[in-house]
Amino acid sequence: MAKTAGAMDFAAPDWAEPGDRLSPADHPTETLRARDIIAGAPPILVSPRKPDGELRGSRFSQLLILRLAPTANGPSSGRLLGYTAICSHAGCVVSSWIPGLNLFLCPCHGSEYDPARHGAVVGGPAPAPLPSIPLQDVSGLVEVAGHFSARPGGRTGRTD
């Protein structure tokens, strides 16, 4: 059945897939290099690019990429990490970072997530951790290596 003009598409969002390369959200024509992800620096908001170079345009495809300082507590210190940028509470973009505590912060309702503990919720109303996505360094470029650990997106309706 053909879609009519203005019809809503309720198919799954255009999530990142294995083989996608990543582009910084503020420089969508560039490709993220592994050396650009500094251990201990704040996360980088990125959008995945399909292998043919097309940018995945859905906000649900946005990712937070970081490398925790080797001194960080938890099993993920020093590794290249990727998480969905979509809060598990109401689907807002997790766009803030709490320096010193090294936590992601959702500005909509205050949910806090710990990337050193697999995206665990450590504050706020979020009902579930941020789903992670495996990444790899392929010839110096950051590439998606697998699928999300769980379905990204909000679990409740927005209340703001």
Side-chain angles (χ1 to χ4, degrees):
M1 173 185 250
K3 282 193 342 184
T4 59
M8 303 239 1
D9 183 1
F10 292 103
D14 196 15
W15 288 323
E17 293 285 336
D20 285 357
R21 298 234 165 120
L22 305 175
S23 293
D26 58 350
H27 295 96
T29 59
E30 297 179 10
T31 301
L32 188 66
R33 298 190 168 282
R35 69 173 183 245
D36 297 335
I37 305 165
I38 309 301
I44 301 169
L45 182 66
V46 300
S47 294
R49 287 189 170 281
K50 298 175 185 179
D52 67 5
E54 180 185 352
L55 192 66
R56 293 187 188 274
S58 169
R59 74 180 184 91
F60 288 99
S61 67
Q62 290 183 314
L63 306 173
L64 293 164
I65 308 300
L66 76 158
R67 191 184 308 269
L68 295 176
T71 58
N73 292 328
S76 302
S77 64
R79 292 192 10 233
L80 184 62
L81 302 174
Y83 291 92
T84 180
I86 305 303
C87 182
S88 67
H89 174 240
C92 297
V93 175
V94 177
S95 58
S96 298
W97 177 248
I98 304 173
L101 297 177
N102 297 327
L103 299 175
F104 297 128
L105 171 65
C106 179
C108 291
H109 304 105
S111 291
E112 298 173 356
Y113 302 91
D114 187 349
R117 294 185 16 223
H118 308 290
V121 178
V122 295
L130 284 181
S132 63
I133 193 162
L135 304 172
Q136 61 188 356
D137 178 338
V138 177
S139 301
L141 300 176
V142 181
E143 191 172 280
V144 175
H147 297 281
F148 282 110
S149 59
R151 182 186 182 281
R155 306 298 193 275
T156 62
R158 288 184 73 156
T159 57
D160 56 346

